[in-house]
Amino acid sequence: MPVGSEASAWIAGAPAPFDAAVAEAARLLGLSAAPVFAHLGADVAGLREAVLLAEQVGGVLDHADSPGLLTNLDSVRESGAMLTTPLEAARADLVLLIGDGVFDAWPDLTPRLIDRLADGARVVWLTGSAGGRFESIAIGTGVARLAALGRLRAEAKLRPLASTPPALRSLAQSLRAAKFGVAVWSGADLEPLAVEAIHGLVRDLNETTRFSTLPLASPDACAAETVCGWMTGFPPRTGFARGRPEHDPWRYDSRRMIAAGEADCVVRVDAFASDAHIAIGLGEAPANVRFEVGRPGVDHDAIFYDARVGTFVARPAASPAGRSVAQTLAAIRARLGGPPC
Amino acid sequence: MLTRIAGGRILDPAQSRDEVGDLWLQGDRVIAAPDHGRADETFDAGGCVVMAGAIDIHSHIAGANVNTARLLLPQQHRAHASRPAATPLANAGWSTFETGRLYAQMGFTTVVEPAISPHHALHAHLELADTPVIDKAILAILGNDDFGLGLMRDGAGPDAIRDHVAWTLQSSKALGLKVINAGGVAAFKDNVRSFGFDDVVPRYGVSSRQIVKTLQRAVHDLGVPHPLHVHCNNLGLPGNFQTALDTIAAAEGLPLHLAHLQFYGYGAEGKLGFSSAAPKLAEAVNAAKSVTIDVGQAMFGQTVTISSDVLRQFSARAQARPSKYVIIDGDANGGGVMPYNYRDGSFANAVQFVVGLELFLLIDDPYRVYFTTDHPNGAPFTAYPDLFALLMSRDVRAQWLSRLPAEALAVTTLASLTREYSWGEIATMTRAAPARLLGLKDRGHLGPGARADVAIYRPGADLAQTFRAAVRVWKDGECVVRDGALTHYRFGRALRVSPQPDAAMTRRVAEYYDARYGLDAELLSVPEAALPREPFETVACPR
């Protein structure tokens, strides 16, 4: 939209009154046999309305960053975990970074964690291949990484393997000697088995010392996980096709559903994009109906997940403007006859 | 809107009222019978018991640790039978929506989530705002936080501690203060694996006893109605009754609330080294008039334990069933989540079950013993109806006891206890007493001016069923439950105290957050305006 335009809603690319766009969105969702929320980039209020609307239309809730989120969560719910928070992690005397993607997953990792460690704290980075900025050991990726993590776990459990490289053996000794170690990785970057191996290693280390983990995932995926959790009992990739929430990471994978032609109406909520919007229609880039929405914490008061603290924070808007995701989705749900909630 | 609840047995221990009569509601209040009133709506409560809405002082229903439990245990809430969708998310098992619905259907109208780390207060309030019908509150946790322990280490004095408690209550919008394994969780960060009441926290040089006494005094001095809510050290361990006795003795005449005392009622007698010490604890509670307790009754079945006693949860990790656990090293207390299955064929679980009931039956004053299951740690709150039936009927107890291992009964006294709770005692324990304990003047009774939170039960042969499905429930004068089923949502409010924060302490906390975290302390506060659907109601601090 050109700057200065009054329109905040479009139908099939043409500017439309908000109410007409709401009606069209409601019509599409009402007709749909399998509506899919393929992305949930929203503040808490917006997420809440997305869950309610998904229930109303028998839809599926997913998030574009679900793969990384679920890689982390799957391991936790299969076998448990030792976890810590971003603030507490700064107390560590040893930080073990794993995988090349840690800094992509948390761009503020250096200022928020590394730079805040006490003098003398050690940072070791298990990279894929490249030498890292810190003391680093290249352990490869995929099967090679699994093997290396397996060796590290065995060595840390004082079950030495003849073929363990000296650097890993020495690292295992350091892990055992740490007073409070923290392992950090990105779920988007590691194989599920690698995450499981790290949790096993950390569990073992806690038999004699204190060690924890800080698994990273995208902040708005963490928000979606948490809000879907308290509203439905489940994280994203939860569907209401049968009236009750059902969680199935394969069946309710929105990319798979779109590619397979199962999804006959797609909703993308993207309030954190520079052109904050909701798009509804067919395919990966739906365009039948589009709403411009306010930016959380900028155009309207908002509560969202803050990676610096690992929980929700509130941010009031400096100068309120525009409709929020929550207001837009609530209007669609009301149009469909959803009861107040 | 004028409502007449006609001809029920009005059971209102707070007003010493137990008589068949009418109760009148106007708007959101109970009113005296009007001289010429014509009710807009009359409910015939003949044969029914009319009580104020029940109040639960200790139930883990919201917040980061509860949500971790939900995500850890997808199998726990799969395969719920679908219900007709009269209310949104009615079919979502273990959601906040289900929590509100199930509580309301049992006639509960106010519930306290008792363990929220201040940094997660906003998250907890968000979940509570999505818990329909009931009013709610949180207790904020201190006693393992670096700033507070630092004040004690540095000999900051009672005024500074009081100001810090006030700042915390204000910042997290809490109704009261909780301490969980005081100092023990901080010690675990330094790899300490067992921690008693007189053990000293490394780095800080203060004992658990000092922490409890210091915070007890601060809460008292602030005039916060609810006394310091204490989760003692050594939870769950054989012989730990001594820890509870020591903590009770340390109250020294000032108000102190001990949470889930059942988990501290264990001796080390018998050939398995595990026995009931409930009689000793009950005797101590009976003698210590300033002390109140809730029981944390264990019932049988699969549940999940959720606790900010990270040391205890870690130590018990081998008992997880299914075998997985999450331990969170938090900014202060953190949390531990561990599924657990209480089995009636298990000697230890049977002893736990019996210890809880012994505490109920041996503590004389129903104003000082509360009915919790420490939801979900001893059992889900949905077990309350069965618990009330157990307390009210020797016959029901006998049926349950017949399923338990004889060796377990041999190390307890339960079989010899004949006491049966009266309806009046149940009403006291679930209504009058918790309102008094929390300082809620317009709740827990049915006198004129009381909030129109009313629950009606039809007593039947099956007492548990009686309490499971209230015939009618009014919340703020609006009928929300009919014949045991929620008809629609309305959203309640969050109760909190609002002690005046001290400007110097606010500055000092801000400096601390800046130095330690590089953050504005306000970032982790709960702003009043952040939760438009959950208005805060301030409970007065009389001092």
Side-chain angles (χ1 to χ4, degrees):
Chain A
M1 270 313 280
V3 174
S5 159
E6 291 297 310
S8 67
W10 296 262
I11 298 174
F18 177 75
D19 289 347
V22 165
E24 178 61 7
R27 191 185 69 81
L28 290 174
L29 285 165
L31 285 174
S32 168
V36 172
F37 290 71
H39 183 49
L40 297 171
D43 63 329
V44 170
L47 290 168
R48 180 180 192 275
E49 289 300 333
V51 174
L52 291 170
L53 180 58
E55 190 204 27
Q56 175 74 27
V57 299
V60 166
L61 293 161
D62 194 9
H63 188 287
D65 297 329
S66 284
L69 186 80
L70 291 173
T71 293
N72 283 338
L73 181 61
D74 272 342
S75 173
V76 172
R77 58 190 176 184
E78 286 303 318
S79 58
M82 310 284 297
L83 303 170
T84 191
T85 70
L87 298 184
E88 186 67 4
R91 222 171 41 77
D93 61 347
L94 192 158
V95 170
L96 182 64
L97 306 173
I98 303 157
D100 294 345
V102 277
F103 291 93
D104 297 332
W106 191 15
D108 288 339
L109 177 55
T110 301
R112 287 305 313 167
L113 178 57
I114 308 288
D115 291 349
R116 304 196 70 80
L117 296 170
D119 292 343
R122 208 173 140 195
V123 180
V124 180
W125 192 1
L126 300 180
T127 63
S129 54
R133 266 179 283 165
F134 307 95
E135 180 186 340
S136 57
I137 306 172
I139 60 169
T141 59
V143 174
R145 176 154 56 201
L146 287 177
L149 290 170
R151 285 183 199 289
L152 192 59
R153 188 178 179 187
E155 298 285 342
K157 227 175 169 181
L158 302 182
R159 289 177 188 159
L161 300 169
S163 54
T164 301
L168 278 184
R169 181 166 296 161
S170 160
L171 175 60
Q173 285 162 4
S174 301
L175 299 181
R176 286 179 61 84
K179 297 228 177 331
F180 181 55
V182 176
V184 184
W185 69 89
S186 161
D189 194 32
L190 295 198
E191 308 75 20
L193 272 176
V195 174
E196 189 124 3
I198 299 164
H199 283 306
L201 166 68
V202 170
R203 260 197 302 278
D204 292 348
L205 289 166
N206 276 285
E207 294 302 320
T208 54
T209 187
R210 294 308 328 282
F211 219 100
S212 195
T213 72
L214 188 66
L216 303 175
S218 89
D220 54 303
C222 292
E225 173 189 58
T226 309
V227 176
C228 290
W230 82 60
M231 293 186 74
T232 72
F234 300 111
R237 298 208 173 157
T238 289
F240 289 94
R242 289 192 279 192
R244 62 180 181 274
E246 294 175 299
H247 174 62
D248 190 324
W250 179 83
R251 185 175 156 208
Y252 295 135
D253 172 351
S254 59
R255 284 192 191 87
R256 188 198 65 77
M257 292 183 78
I258 292 167
E262 289 174 25
D264 59 358
C265 185
V266 176
V267 181
R268 292 190 61 90
V269 178
D270 220 342
F272 295 115
S274 54
D275 60 336
H277 67 277
I278 299 170
I280 301 174
L282 269 178
E284 278 284 0
N288 295 58
V289 184
R290 185 181 172 95
F291 297 94
E292 182 183 279
V293 293
R295 293 161 296 169
V298 180
D299 298 323
H300 60 84
D301 296 353
I303 295 172
F304 49 83
Y305 191 91
D306 188 329
R308 294 175 297 173
V309 291
T311 185
F312 292 107
V313 300
R315 184 185 292 167
S319 52
R323 282 191 186 83
S324 65
V325 169
Q327 288 167 329
T328 307
L329 296 181
I332 297 170
R333 196 172 74 89
R335 181 86 188 189
L336 287 162
C341 184
Chain B
M1 175 87 164
L2 192 59
T3 301
R4 176 177 164 229
I5 298 168
R9 175 184 172 192
I10 297 178
L11 192 48
D12 185 8
Q15 311 279 318
S16 304
R17 188 174 179 198
D18 181 0
E19 61 184 1
V20 173
D22 290 356
L23 185 74
W24 291 79
L25 314 180
Q26 185 165 41
D28 65 354
R29 297 286 151 180
V30 175
I31 59 166
D35 290 337
H36 328 277
R38 220 187 118 79
D40 301 301
E41 177 192 57
T42 300
F43 175 72
D44 178 2
C48 294
V49 176
V50 180
M51 296 198 256
I55 301 169
D56 191 344
I57 63 160
H58 190 114
S59 177
H60 300 280
I61 57 169
N65 291 336
V66 172
N67 216 42
T68 298
R70 290 187 181 105
L71 295 169
L72 177 67
L73 296 164
Q75 66 272 46
Q76 191 97 332
H77 43 107
R78 195 177 281 163
H80 274 254
S82 293
R83 300 169 60 256
T87 44
L89 299 167
N91 296 318
W94 204 5
S95 63
T96 54
F97 293 86
E98 183 192 57
T99 297
R101 175 172 65 80
L102 294 176
Y103 261 117
Q105 288 172 175
M106 298 192 304
F108 282 69
T109 49
T110 304
V111 178
V112 177
E113 156 55 67
I116 297 301
S117 284
H119 286 183
H120 287 92
L122 179 58
H123 176 170
H125 280 298
L126 286 167
E127 289 198 27
L128 292 175
D130 265 346
T131 306
V133 186
I134 56 175
D135 291 338
K136 4 335 117 136
I138 66 164
L139 303 182
I141 309 169
L142 287 180
N144 283 294
D145 59 303
D146 176 64
F147 183 81
L149 293 181
L151 286 179
M152 294 179 204
R153 174 195 58 211
D154 301 340
D159 289 358
I161 304 289
R162 183 199 61 210
D163 291 342
H164 178 226
V165 169
W167 184 88
T168 303
L169 295 172
Q170 187 63 250
S171 159
S172 51
K173 304 284 183 285
L175 183 61
L177 193 70
K178 169 101 173 273
V179 61
I180 297 174
N181 193 353
V185 176
F188 180 53
K189 294 181 179 190
D190 278 312
N191 207 19
V192 170
R193 302 273 164 135
S194 81
F195 194 80
F197 197 47
D198 287 304
D199 286 335
V200 171
V201 193
R203 297 172 200 251
Y204 300 100
V206 291
S207 68
S208 196
R209 177 190 298 271
Q210 285 172 277
I211 298 168
V212 169
K213 296 285 299 171
T214 304
L215 293 176
Q216 176 199 29
R217 168 59 69 180
V219 170
H220 184 72
D221 288 351
L222 280 169
V224 174
H226 186 46
L228 180 67
H229 197 106
V230 181
H231 166 132
C232 300
N233 326 96
N234 291 326
L235 185 145
L237 303 180
N240 67 0
F241 73 97
Q242 192 58 50
T243 304
L245 289 179
D246 292 346
T247 311
I248 291 168
E252 296 181 307
L254 279 188
L256 196 67
H257 181 83
L258 269 57
H260 39 69
L261 197 62
Q262 179 273 127
F263 287 109
Y264 303 93
Y266 311 141
E269 312 289 316
K271 60 177 191 271
L272 293 169
F274 192 63
S275 57
S276 167
K280 292 189 185 83
L281 286 187
E283 191 186 335
V285 172
N286 285 334
K289 304 295 183 200
S290 71
V291 170
T292 52
I293 68 112
D294 64 85
V295 170
Q297 177 69 33
M299 304 288 268
F300 301 109
Q302 176 70 51
T303 190
V304 54
T305 64
I306 302 173
S307 176
S308 301
D309 187 346
V310 183
L311 172 57
R312 145 72 198 181
Q313 293 297 76
F314 179 78
S315 305
R317 64 197 182 283
Q319 295 166 27
R321 294 291 179 277
S323 180
K324 56 183 175 182
Y325 57 88
V326 172
I327 295 292
I328 300 156
D329 282 292
D331 303 341
N333 261 78
V337 177
M338 189 183 91
Y340 189 73
N341 190 359
Y342 290 95
R343 294 174 301 117
D344 58 7
S346 150
F347 166 81
N349 294 158
V351 170
Q352 293 182 295
F353 170 77
V354 170
V355 164
L357 292 180
E358 287 180 314
L359 289 173
F360 276 113
L361 297 169
L362 292 170
I363 296 175
D364 301 328
D365 181 359
Y367 272 97
R368 294 204 287 125
V369 57
Y370 297 83
F371 55 89
T372 67
T373 57
D374 189 18
H375 164 84
N377 292 325
F381 65 79
T382 47
Y384 289 154
D386 287 312
L387 175 57
F388 299 153
L390 282 162
L391 297 178
M392 294 176 79
S393 166
R394 260 173 298 183
D395 293 343
V396 171
R397 285 206 294 274
Q399 284 167 27
W400 283 61
L401 292 189
S402 69
R403 288 156 47 201
L404 303 185
E407 314 85 76
L409 296 179
V411 295
T412 70
T413 63
L414 184 62
S416 68
L417 301 180
T418 57
R419 181 177 170 194
E420 292 181 327
Y421 270 57
S422 67
W423 274 86
E425 285 173 319
I426 292 287
T428 299
M429 183 172 67
T430 56
R431 275 81 177 168
R436 184 193 283 182
L437 185 69
L438 299 173
L440 309 178
K441 301 244 181 288
D442 63 352
R443 287 173 170 77
H445 70 90
L446 295 172
R451 192 166 284 287
D453 294 354
V454 183
I456 297 184
Y457 303 97
R458 190 180 301 282
D462 182 346
L463 278 169
Q465 184 55 28
T466 298
F467 287 109
R468 200 168 286 131
V471 177
R472 288 288 187 280
V473 177
W474 281 265
K475 179 74 191 86
D476 290 329
E478 188 177 331
C479 185
V480 288
V481 171
R482 286 172 189 268
D483 301 322
L486 186 74
T487 54
H488 63 286
Y489 290 154
R490 65 189 306 286
F491 286 87
R493 51 186 79 71
L495 309 173
R496 56 117 165 189
V497 291
S498 189
Q500 194 60 39
D502 171 76
M505 179 54 65
T506 302
R507 250 192 330 272
R508 195 164 168 180
V509 170
E511 286 163 10
Y512 171 84
Y513 272 77
D514 186 49
R516 183 174 172 93
Y517 300 131
L519 293 174
D520 182 350
E522 284 300 308
L523 184 72
L524 289 154
S525 292
V526 180
E528 186 105 32
L531 299 153
R533 273 182 318 98
E534 189 194 50
F536 287 102
E537 177 181 323
T538 299
V539 173
C541 293
R543 207 170 305 270

